[in-house]
């Protein structure tokens, strides 16, 4: 019966930790959707359909404005989400795209195309829950075509 007692103790500790971490709610990544002159939509020509795709599928991790659904407040999901946002923004921040050098912008555009073609973005752990952020084949083609167009323009500049 000793085993059962240990099991109960572990269960209670585990449950206690789960309850306690619910109180950990770090500052949210939200700028109320402000569009500063550095925002990618102010720096590049983006067709409406592509804007929509980026907004739905990418901005949550790659901009200063995350759209948090109610379940994102439940831990430990929130900790994971905040980690993705921090890492995502460090790699590519659409809200501050204009602060990148021309070379860096080109490089990021190229990376976007590659990530989309390889089906690496949005992260799978994310689309698993945020179903609507999953890209359709048409979405992918539209993004890749837009990137190609922007890259050609950059070469001419
Ligand atoms: C759930 C959060 C999340 C979403 C949503 C997301 N990303 Fe990412 N993205 C990340 C993280 C984290 C990294 C850095 C680590 C890695 O590469 O896996 C990253 C890396 C990248 C990189 C690589 C940047 C570089 O310089 O190497 C590109 C490009 C990118 N994402 C594009 C996109 C695009 C385009 C979308 C939308 C279609 C998107 N991401 C959606 C989290 C996300």
């Amino acid at each position: 019966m000793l085993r059962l007692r240990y099991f109960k103790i572990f269960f209670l500790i585990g449950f206690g930790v789960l309850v306690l971490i619910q109180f950990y709610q770090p500052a949210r990544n939200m700028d109320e959707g402000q569009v500063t002159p550095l925002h990618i939509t102010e720096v590049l020509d983006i067709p409406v359909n592509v804007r929509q795709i980026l907004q739905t599928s990418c901005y949550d991790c790659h901009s200063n404005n995350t759209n948090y659904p109610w379940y994102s407040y439940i831990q430990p999901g929130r900790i994971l989400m905040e980690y993705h946002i921090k890492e995502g923004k460090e790699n590519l921040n659409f809200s501050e795209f204009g602060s990148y050098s021309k070379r860096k912008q080109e490089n990021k555009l190229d990376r976007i195309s590659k990530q989309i073609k390889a089906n690496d973005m949005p992260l799978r752990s994310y689309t698993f829950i945020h179903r609507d952020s999953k890209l359709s084949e048409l979405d992918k083609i539209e993004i890749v075509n837009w990137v190609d167009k922007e890259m050609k323009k950059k070469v001419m500049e």
Side-chain angles (χ1 to χ4, degrees), residues 19-40:
V19 169
L20 278 178
I21 61 171
Q22 301 308 320
F23 292 98
Y24 177 64
Q25 295 289 341
R28 283 185 278 169
N29 179 47
M30 286 172 97
D31 66 0
E32 310 292 335
Q34 286 177 33
V35 177
T36 69
L38 294 180
H39 200 281
I40 190 164

Side-chain angles (χ1 to χ4, degrees), residues 63-86:
S63 84
N64 293 337
N65 196 34
T66 301
N67 186 16
Y68 291 92
W70 64 266
Y71 50 80
S72 70
Y73 292 90
I74 300 168
Q75 296 289 17
R78 182 73 199 287
I79 293 170
L80 191 71
M81 185 70 195
E82 255 1 274
Y83 174 72
H84 283 330
I85 294 170
K86 186 173 167 288

Side-chain angles (χ1 to χ4, degrees), residues 1-155:
M1 280 301 101
L2 201 62
R3 271 239 197 99
L4 188 64
R5 185 189 283 167
Y6 276 129
F7 178 77
K8 273 187 192 158
I9 290 170
F10 278 125
F11 180 81
L12 280 174
I13 291 174
F15 186 73
V17 168
L18 204 62
V19 169
L20 278 178
I21 61 171
Q22 301 308 320
F23 292 98
Y24 177 64
Q25 295 289 341
R28 283 185 278 169
N29 179 47
M30 286 172 97
D31 66 0
E32 310 292 335
Q34 286 177 33
V35 177
T36 69
L38 294 180
H39 200 281
I40 190 164
T41 52
E42 298 292 302
V43 183
L44 302 180
D45 279 330
I46 314 182
V48 180
N49 51 344
V50 176
R51 275 181 197 225
Q52 204 68 51
I53 301 167
L54 296 181
Q55 163 111 44
T56 318
S57 301
C58 318
Y59 283 7
D60 277 356
C61 300
H62 291 291
S63 84
N64 293 337
N65 196 34
T66 301
N67 186 16
Y68 291 92
W70 64 266
Y71 50 80
S72 70
Y73 292 90
I74 300 168
Q75 296 289 17
R78 182 73 199 287
I79 293 170
L80 191 71
M81 185 70 195
E82 255 1 274
Y83 174 72
H84 283 330
I85 294 170
K86 186 173 167 288
E87 241 207 309
K89 277 181 18 172
E90 270 167 20
N91 280 279
L92 169 66
N93 188 344
F94 286 121
S95 299
E96 289 164 19
F97 198 81
S99 69
Y100 298 162
S101 67
K102 179 175 175 262
R103 220 179 121 207
K104 191 168 172 184
Q105 291 188 6
E106 277 174 10
N107 180 261
K108 294 298 170 189
L109 283 169
D110 185 50
R111 302 282 305 153
I112 291 172
S113 198
K114 290 209 172 95
Q115 296 273 357
I116 298 288
K117 284 179 190 158
N119 287 323
D120 283 344
M121 285 290 148
L123 292 179
R124 237 157 293 219
S125 60
Y126 176 81
T127 51
F128 182 69
I129 300 170
H130 296 71
R131 284 283 172 202
D132 61 336
S133 69
K134 205 167 164 20
L135 300 177
S136 68
E137 287 309 312
L138 187 64
D139 292 342
K140 287 182 208 164
I141 294 169
E142 284 180 345
I143 295 183
V144 170
N145 284 347
W146 164 69
V147 168
D148 284 349
K149 234 186 253 164
E150 284 301 319
M151 292 293 268
K152 279 202 195 100
K153 266 197 247 164
K154 292 260 178 220
V155 175

